[in-house]
Amino acid sequence: MLDITDLKVELDAEAGIVRAIDGMRLAIERGETFALVGESGCGKSMTALALMRLLPDNGIVAGGDITLGQGRDAVDVLGLSESRMRSVRGGRIGMIFQEPATSLNPVMKVGRQIVEAIEAHTELRGEAARVKAIDWLRRVGIPEPERRIDEYPFRMSGGQKQRVMIAIALAAAPDFLVADEPTTALDVTIQAQILDLLKQLQSEQRMGMLLITHDLAVVAGMAHRVALMYAGQIIEVAPAAEFFAAPRHPYAQALLRALPAGDRRGLPLEAIKGTVPPLWQRFDGCRFAPRCAKAMPHCASTLPELAAIGAAHTVRCLLYAPDAPAAAEAAAAEPVAAVVRPVVDRSAPPLLDVQGLRVRFPIRSGLLQRTKRHFDAVDGVSFQVRPGETLALVGESGCGKTTTGKAIVQLLRGAADIEGRALLDGRNLFELHGPELLAARRQVQIIFQDPFASLNPRMRVFDLLEEGLASLNTELDAGARRERIERLTDQVGLRRDALDRYPHEFSGGQRQRIAIARALAVQPRLIVCDEPTSALDVSVQAQILNLLRDLQRELGVSYLFITHNIGVVEYIADRIAVMRAGRIEEQGDCDDVLSRPQQEYTKTLLAAVPRLVPA
Ligand code: SF4
């Protein structure tokens, strides 16, 4: 159905010509789901854009062929005129993007958007196209399609918008579907519904599907075959079951070991050292060599080719070259050293005791912006965190978990009405003022989800770290502050020269280290971690989780860990509280809640999470 040979895509960037895709070769059959996986910047999305001929202005296809269909139906995608390509795009190839909220036209009714796709690519017009659009809304599971067809996108939830996107993508019955991170922006229960829907529609229509994602668990549940990309090249292709049971490329093995899960509790996750090399440079050897734990002397000077190691399994690695010594043993995974997990003293009095927390946001309207109503974001929440303990607060977006965290860190004072108590050492944080409040702020810090947005881009790292110290630890002089900051940089694994640089000079993982150092600078006893790894790649996530775990062991700090990632919860949390619509539905020991959930909602939530089951 789709044949890509020797595809090369180049981008004209400031640093030089970036070879974003360097010699890609793959073939996808009718009815097959082919997953392209890899970390950010490896070339996955660029492949989709090249296929749709939607490369950015500074990008060109520098070589190769893309053929869609077979025999008389075959088209040379790269050779088509732009006007013919327009009928292929949306006609023979459908596409679903990551973010449904920005992919739909906000000022056009959803029905009109589906009808537009039907009229552009089929014979149907007018009322017949509208009837077809209603039929599509029904097929993708939108209730009351006759009424909802005349609604604007803003009246729909994220999951419903993605269903509308799917209806638009499939309305012209394409031969082939490109789904680029189709569920990344959605909650797990909605994700499960959308993936089921895609699977069902794909098998009904026998489409080929290119599924692009960074979520390996989603791939395991959806794909027939998997291709792993690294630095612009495919480095392993295998049937999905074989890939997950026995990945052969050292990068694939390391990636799977980097995934947090319950069976790795107490063990360090495999953190792949270094970063992806810049793609403007010429490579004389294996692109993964500087990071590869199994690199051999000739890896830096020999270019590995994609070579078959099984009926449908190919790998780009010199370990599998015919003359490589004892390839199988060399490629076997080494056992990871066991580390004893600190046991939390359950009899110790709680460090933080939250009782009946309610957070109400005023809803204002009218010329004078008077408060008309209130919205209860958190509605009577109680929990405790013990010294050295990690309590995970989980739930879907909008359930109130971040609001709970912000209220405890005192970030909602003045913005919301807060009721209830948050006792830290027996003193209610919500009643503190002046110097007492300042002292309490030192004890409770926060790390945010997005390390790109949470660091002031105009401040050097040293100043970022010193800012909190100067205002909350006034007893320290400049020399003592510098000493503490230098020690912190070592603790979070940054080089000392990082202190003189600005945030934009760092990668996402390094920025999150800076954010952790900033939180630790004032020696807090509790850190609210608000989705600290969800914006990071798997290997970087592993580094940050290892760091948080080590710091907890060293410093005895407690974490209130807000996340929707159950794998992370299993790995790092001692206890778990499940939130829904501003309330806690269930809380208890992590193992108990995850293995024997009592509430229906917890069961639904856990059932919806895609997982990689150990082979
Ligand atoms: Fe590692 Fe060498 Fe294989 Fe590259 S070719 S992945 S450096 S063993």
Side-chain angles (χ1 to χ4, degrees), residues 177-199:
L177 181 69
V178 179
D180 188 358
E181 304 274 9
T183 57
T184 305
L186 305 176
D187 277 323
V188 278
T189 48
I190 313 291
Q191 163 171 288
Q193 294 167 12
I194 296 287
L195 292 177
D196 276 351
L197 175 68
L198 274 178
K199 235 186 201 174

Side-chain angles (χ1 to χ4, degrees), residues 194-225:
I194 296 287
L195 292 177
D196 276 351
L197 175 68
L198 274 178
K199 235 186 201 174
Q200 178 206 332
L201 293 172
Q202 188 216 13
S203 72
E204 276 172 28
Q205 307 209 171
R206 299 259 309 131
M207 289 176 302
M209 172 151 74
L210 179 66
L211 173 68
I212 294 175
T213 178
H214 68 282
D215 189 334
L216 293 171
V218 165
V219 172
M222 290 284 288
H224 300 109
R225 277 192 304 148

Side-chain angles (χ1 to χ4, degrees), residues 235 248-251 285-296 298-300 302-304 315-320:
I235 58 169
R248 306 302 285 273
H249 195 283
Y251 177 61
C286 172
R287 295 171 185 212
F288 188 57
R291 309 175 72 189
C292 180
K294 299 186 173 114
M296 301 170 287
H298 62 293
C299 290
T302 314
L303 289 168
V315 182
R316 189 187 294 275
C317 172
L318 297 170
L319 283 172
Y320 303 96

